[in-house]
Amino acid sequence: MTDDHVDYKRRRLLTVATTGMGIAGSVGLAVPFAGSMVPSERAKAAGAPVKVDIGSLEMGQQLTVEWRGKPVWIIRRSQEALDFLAGMDNLLVDPDSSMAQQPAYATNPYRSIKNDILVLVGICTHLGCSPKYRPELSADTDAPFLCACHGSRFDLAGRVYKNVPAPKNLVVPPHRYLSDTEILIGSDEETA
């Protein structure tokens, strides 16, 4: 075939049309793909902060809520239980909470903002089991949190005992008080 028989106008038209169709097809594929990367309302809610009313929480009582698919425990501790925590240091792996398992405001002997209210993620730091809360032992020589799967034990501040499988204290999630009777779990910023 010689150059005399080539229709350059038609070739240019076909090139432009093919390029246009390719771009339109790419955009058509990219829009749903990009849309699938935006979290759904359900996913957003699963990671959203959770408001909890603790007004009716009695001494020694545990309240469990879900945040980010994990159980979060809220426990009201008695003065007797708080006094007992002070003499436990020699039994614990990390009595001063120097491992980063809590926000800075909970790096204290009680691992809490308010001494009488404990907020913990209820998942063992060994293999992810959920320890059982035994309130009858909260001011005794045994641990009030026991992970029956492998024997890890934690005190009433969520600090891990020595010589158990769990390597770290239970996690204190970010939280703040909205009032004397309401906690926001999942946010510790004042702007939230």
Side-chain angles (χ1 to χ4, degrees), residues 14 24 27 29 31-32 38-39 41 55 58 83 103 108 124 135 161-162:
L14 288 173
V27 169
L29 288 173
V31 168
V38 175
E41 290 304 313
E58 296 179 17
D83 293 343
N108 56 57
C124 181
Y161 279 75
K162 291 179 181 176

Side-chain angles (χ1 to χ4, degrees), residues 85-112 155 157-160 162 169-170 172:
L85 289 174
M88 307 255 330
D89 289 5
N90 62 334
L91 302 173
L92 304 170
V93 171
D94 185 18
D96 299 323
S97 301
S98 49
M99 292 183 213
Q101 292 294 99
Q102 64 282 319
Y105 51 80
T107 305
N108 56 57
Y110 307 112
R111 298 185 74 223
S112 60
D155 74 354
R159 299 176 299 179
V160 66
K162 291 179 181 176
N169 296 338
L170 295 175
V172 175

Side-chain angles (χ1 to χ4, degrees), residues 123-186:
I123 296 179
C124 181
T125 56
H126 177 230
L127 292 176
C129 305
S130 188
K132 183 177 180 200
Y133 174 51
R134 304 176 305 164
E136 68 278 5
L137 302 175
S138 64
D140 198 3
T141 56
D142 203 355
F145 296 112
L146 172 67
C147 186
C149 299
H150 303 101
S152 292
R153 302 176 321 142
F154 303 87
D155 74 354
L156 201 54
R159 299 176 299 179
V160 66
Y161 279 75
K162 291 179 181 176
N163 303 317
V164 298
K168 296 180 180 181
N169 296 338
L170 295 175
V171 173
V172 175
H175 64 283
R176 66 184 175 100
Y177 286 83
L178 300 174
S179 70
D180 287 341
T181 61
E182 193 172 43
I183 297 177
L184 185 65
I185 297 170

Side-chain angles (χ1 to χ4, degrees), residues 1-19:
M1 192 186 283
T2 65
D3 285 339
D4 295 339
H5 296 100
V6 176
D7 187 353
Y8 288 107
K9 279 184 160 181
R10 184 171 181 195
R11 181 178 282 180
R12 197 172 307 124
L13 176 68
L14 288 173
T15 302
V16 169
T18 304
T19 303

